Amino acid sequence: MSFDGLFTKAMTEELFENLNGGRINKIHQPYKNEIIMVIRASGKNHKLLLSAHPSYARIQLTNENYENPYEPPMFCMLLRKHLEGYVIENIYQKDLDRIIIIEVKGRDEIGDVSYKQLIIEIMGKHSNIVLVDKERNMILDSIKHISFAVNSFRAILPGHEYKFPPEQHKSNPLKADRDDIIKKIDFNSGKIDKQLVSQFSGLSPLFAREVVTRAGLANRETIPEAFLSLIQAFKERTYIPTIMEHDRKEAFYCIPLEQFSGERKTFTSLSEMLDRYYFGKAARDRIKQQAHDLERFIINEKEKNEKKIKKLEKTLEENKNADQYQLYGELLTANIYQLQRGMKEIEVVNYYDEEGKTVVIPLDPQKSPSENAQKYFSKYQKAKNSIGVISEQIALAKEEVQYFDSLLQQLDSASPKDIEEMREELVEGGYLRQRQKRGQKKNTSAKPQLEKYISSTGIEILVGKNNKQNEYLTNKLARRDDIWLHTKDIPGSHVVIRNEVPDEQTLKEASIIAAYFSKARESSSVPVDYTKIRHVKKPNGAKPGFVIYENHQTLYVTPDPDLVLRLKS
């Protein structure tokens, strides 16, 4: 895990530097396991993200925007009651554990001075956020409730005494010298990285593997030297937050790691790095959970139409023998004097063939000569009539596949509000039944909310992330001479530059955004078409979000999440 005890140390130092002495002004809980706190410190507002997500648990400053629910959850209400208006007095780490304590001071509802602790435990699926009355060491509440039935050592429940997780009694790597490291490691038993993790606190397998990588030939000389050189960065606080690639996967840490041989990107702060690393990851995971049934429905509908196309194409191939049925009928009629009931086949001259070759025609022995001829004429007429119908059905089924493919692409970057709009679209299209929600009235006059970006030269770029937004952006909001962009022959978002003659930099950046919000997000050299809105039309009866366009030009770009994050308004 990248967010180990040493990384937590570095993050604690960053948070202390930015937030200590700040006042907590607002608290939101946009999702089940995540809290956003707006803190005024050093003359500016900071957004602090606290996440107890089972896969993406962390604490960081963030510039991301989160959609808040109409009604705040109970834990959020309790945090507002006990923390809003309070001043942060200290931010520190529990030893080298993945635990950060934020101590605050304020006045309670009767005006008495009150001290609270907000304890963030970053422990994978066991992560938690706990509010504690400092003077009584009593838990006021937590984002996850843990009973003794689940954890026999401690319960995380309101009214209980707060206890830290059990001590592991490991050595502190920041205080270790060369002799300490040699004493802790059995160089003859191998698996040096696992031994390091078991002997020193705050170390992750990631850090331990880096020690072994830098040591090269692991022995009593190289391992202590590599270990101490890495630890020195944490002692001196000389961090270089870096995201590294390896085998098309990414990892992050507060210093560059040599075990990753791919591309590297460095950042000015740990929080900036985490914003980039988790950009879209946590949101997509939440959306997949919230929209699991919708995703399954869309996949099923797409697969159903793909199977339908295969069956129709097989039938179409069979019906391409229509001309042969007509030939058989005509040849039997011309040679009817040679036919007799009971014959299974007849060989006759094909007078349509220039060389006068013969052809063998299968017969039904139960039918008369004229009935056999009529049978082939009937098969010819049926096949001829069905070719047009089948071709039309294949075209419609392909449209459905394209439509559901675009919906799957939209799910990858959808927000909860986007998901609801997609459900509404499927209801309006007759694919789903309306879900009745008691106590909620749909606001039919609300306009779709578009993603907004500002180019490097200050020009506004708008993005539709689902078909309702695409239709609103392209057909209603955009002006006739605004520039419209879309990936060429690839499902993706409609993108509009709010300018008639954008500069080349804006055009390139808008193309990168269009490529990022498309099915080709992980590809390179993605073709993006662009033209004026006046050249974009929606055909009558077309699916939502489907348009045709002309007079376009094409740019080839590579999606860049760093750019997309930087330009987001």
Side-chain angles (χ1 to χ4, degrees):
M1 171 177 188
S2 299
F3 214 119
D4 58 14
L6 291 173
F7 190 96
T8 305
K9 173 186 181 297
M11 179 57 76
T12 305
E13 292 160 359
E14 181 174 301
L15 296 178
F16 182 90
E17 182 180 339
N18 284 279
L19 302 180
N20 199 51
R23 181 180 297 275
I24 301 171
N25 288 336
K26 294 179 182 178
I27 300 175
H28 303 286
Q29 187 175 347
Y31 302 106
K32 179 181 176 182
N33 295 318
E34 293 176 343
I35 298 294
I36 293 288
M37 302 173 68
V38 180
I39 300 167
R40 184 75 178 176
S42 302
K44 62 180 290 189
N45 288 334
H46 304 265
K47 281 193 293 187
L48 178 65
L49 168 65
L50 314 175
S51 175
H53 190 285
S55 301
Y56 305 115
R58 64 197 187 280
I59 176 171
Q60 64 164 109
L61 297 171
T62 183
N63 290 317
E64 282 286 292
N65 295 318
Y66 292 83
E67 294 183 12
N68 297 312
Y70 293 110
E71 293 185 9
M74 291 299 296
F75 184 63
C76 178
M77 296 288 285
L78 181 129
L79 289 181
R80 289 177 179 178
K81 174 184 175 183
H82 288 280
L83 297 182
E84 282 190 352
Y86 278 54
V87 174
I88 296 175
E89 289 204 313
N90 198 9
I91 302 175
Y92 62 95
Q93 180 184 16
K94 166 72 166 61
D95 300 325
L96 273 180
D97 291 337
R98 289 172 289 163
I99 300 174
I100 294 179
I101 299 101
I102 301 175
E103 293 192 340
V104 298
K105 175 185 177 182
R107 293 188 179 275
D108 58 24
E109 55 267 30
I110 60 174
D112 292 338
V113 175
S114 176
Y115 297 90
K116 304 289 192 320
Q117 291 177 321
L118 192 60
I119 302 173
I120 301 91
E121 302 177 348
I122 305 166
M123 300 175 180
K125 65 180 182 180
H126 302 296
S127 300
N128 212 335
I129 302 170
V130 188
L131 180 64
V132 175
D133 184 309
K134 181 181 177 182
E135 294 169 313
R136 294 180 291 167
N137 193 35
M138 186 185 78
I139 297 172
L140 298 173
D141 206 351
S142 59
I143 205 163
K144 297 177 185 176
H145 289 179
I146 310 296
S147 68
F148 280 118
V150 176
N151 188 329
S152 59
F153 180 80
R154 63 176 190 151
I156 306 295
L157 294 169
H160 284 240
E161 177 189 7
Y162 177 78
K163 291 175 67 176
F164 287 108
E167 296 284 347
Q168 295 184 314
H169 305 293
K170 295 181 181 181
S171 298
N172 188 333
L174 299 173
K175 297 178 181 179
D177 58 23
R178 184 177 179 278
D179 292 337
D180 292 332
I181 298 167
I182 292 174
K183 289 177 184 177
K184 296 287 183 181
I185 302 300
D186 181 356
F187 290 92
N188 295 321
S189 63
K191 298 181 179 179
I192 304 297
D193 54 338
K194 292 185 177 179
Q195 291 190 58
L196 289 171
V197 172
S198 66
Q199 293 295 331
F200 292 95
S201 62
L203 304 193
S204 61
L206 182 72
F207 182 93
R209 286 195 299 270
E210 183 65 14
V211 172
V212 175
T213 299
R214 295 196 180 194
L217 186 64
N219 56 44
R220 292 173 178 269
E221 295 297 326
T222 58
I223 289 294
E225 182 181 347
F227 186 97
L228 293 173
S229 68
L230 283 167
I231 287 296
Q232 194 64 26
F234 293 90
K235 289 182 177 180
E236 298 176 353
R237 302 185 181 183
T238 53
Y239 307 121
I240 307 175
T242 308
I243 291 178
M244 298 142 288
E245 290 186 5
H246 183 70
D247 292 336
R248 301 197 71 179
K249 293 184 179 180
E250 289 185 333
F252 67 84
Y253 207 58
C254 33
I255 55 175
L257 302 179
E258 293 180 3
Q259 61 187 285
F260 298 102
S261 56
E263 184 182 347
R264 298 183 179 189
K265 297 174 184 175
T266 59
F267 300 83
T268 57
S269 70
L270 298 175
S271 293
E272 181 190 0
M273 177 185 70
L274 292 181
D275 259 355
R276 160 60 183 84
Y277 180 81
Y278 286 109
F279 180 52
K281 287 185 174 67
R284 284 196 292 275
D285 181 78
R286 285 190 295 265
I287 293 303
K288 281 191 176 292
Q289 292 179 26
Q290 293 177 17
H292 178 72
D293 61 325
L294 187 63
E295 182 183 35
R296 189 69 256 162
F297 172 79
I298 293 171
I299 290 173
N300 286 341
E301 288 296 306
K302 182 188 172 187
E303 291 175 349
K304 186 167 67 177
N305 279 281
E306 287 172 339
K307 290 178 182 177
K308 182 179 179 181
I309 290 170
K310 287 184 179 179
K311 289 182 180 179
L312 289 171
E313 287 177 339
K314 183 179 180 182
T315 305
L316 185 63
E317 190 63 34
E318 293 171 352
N319 287 342
K320 285 181 178 177
N321 295 323
D323 292 339
Q324 187 179 33
Y325 297 146
Q326 184 184 29
L327 174 65
Y328 284 178
E330 291 178 353
L331 292 178
L332 288 178
T333 302
N335 294 279
I336 200 163
Y337 62 90
Q338 297 184 42
L339 301 179
Q340 294 179 10
R341 187 186 292 269
M343 294 176 66
K344 293 184 178 180
E345 63 181 29
I346 186 171
E347 184 175 1
V348 297
V349 175
N350 181 4
Y351 49 78
Y352 288 105
D353 187 82
E354 293 179 358
E355 298 179 5
K357 292 181 179 180
T358 60
V359 61
V360 176
I361 304 174
L363 300 173
D364 185 344
Q366 302 298 322
K367 295 183 182 296
S368 67
S370 60
E371 287 173 338
N372 269 296
Q374 189 59 42
K375 180 189 74 171
Y376 280 112
F377 282 126
S378 297
K379 291 180 75 173
Y380 160 69
Q381 199 62 45
K382 183 179 178 182
K384 182 181 176 183
N385 293 339
S386 65
I387 286 175
V389 175
I390 292 172
S391 298
E392 186 179 340
Q393 289 180 335
I394 289 174
L396 290 172
K398 285 182 176 179
E399 281 184 21
E400 293 285 288
V401 169
Q402 185 180 5
Y403 173 61
F404 288 114
D405 205 24
S406 70
L407 291 180
L408 286 175
Q409 176 271 319
Q410 291 165 14
L411 278 176
D412 281 343
S413 55
S415 68
K417 189 177 291 184
D418 297 332
I419 294 297
E420 287 308 308
E421 289 178 347
M422 291 174 72
R423 287 189 192 277
E424 290 172 13
E425 177 187 330
L426 289 169
V427 169
E428 291 166 5
Y431 296 101
L432 290 175
R433 289 184 179 180
Q434 180 70 52
R435 296 197 308 181
Q436 296 296 329
K437 292 186 178 180
R438 290 183 296 177
Q440 289 189 10
K441 291 184 178 180
K442 181 184 171 184
N443 185 1
T444 55
S445 63
K447 296 177 181 178
Q449 298 297 307
L450 305 170
E451 289 271 311
K452 185 185 294 185
Y453 296 83
I454 304 297
S455 75
S456 301
T457 55
I459 297 175
E460 186 178 65
I461 301 169
L462 299 177
V463 179
K465 291 170 62 184
N466 59 45
N467 289 327
K468 278 185 173 289
Q469 294 176 17
N470 288 336
E471 295 237 324
Y472 172 70
L473 173 60
T474 301
N475 301 329
K476 294 183 179 180
L477 181 64
R479 299 179 291 256
R480 283 173 57 78
D481 288 320
D482 284 346
I483 303 300
W484 181 89
L485 305 94
H486 194 281
T487 43
K488 185 180 183 68
D489 301 324
I490 300 170
S493 292
H494 293 200
V495 176
V496 169
I497 302 173
R498 301 283 278 170
N499 190 285
E500 297 179 13
V501 190
D503 56 90
E504 288 188 13
Q505 182 65 21
T506 296
L507 192 58
K508 182 180 179 181
E509 289 173 349
S511 299
I512 291 172
I513 291 171
Y516 181 81
F517 287 106
S518 78
K519 196 176 180 180
R521 174 179 291 186
E522 304 297 330
S523 305
S524 59
S525 194
V526 179
V528 177
D529 289 340
Y530 66 93
T531 186
K532 288 184 180 292
I533 282 287
R534 65 169 71 235
H535 301 306
V536 182
K537 301 286 186 288
K538 178 179 180 178
N540 290 333
K543 292 283 185 186
F546 181 81
V547 294
I548 56 175
Y549 54 92
E550 57 188 7
N551 295 343
H552 61 276
Q553 294 175 269
T554 305
L555 280 176
Y556 290 84
V557 297
T558 298
D560 183 355
D562 292 323
L563 176 76
V564 176
L565 182 60
R566 189 169 71 249
L567 299 182
K568 191 169 183 181
S569 174

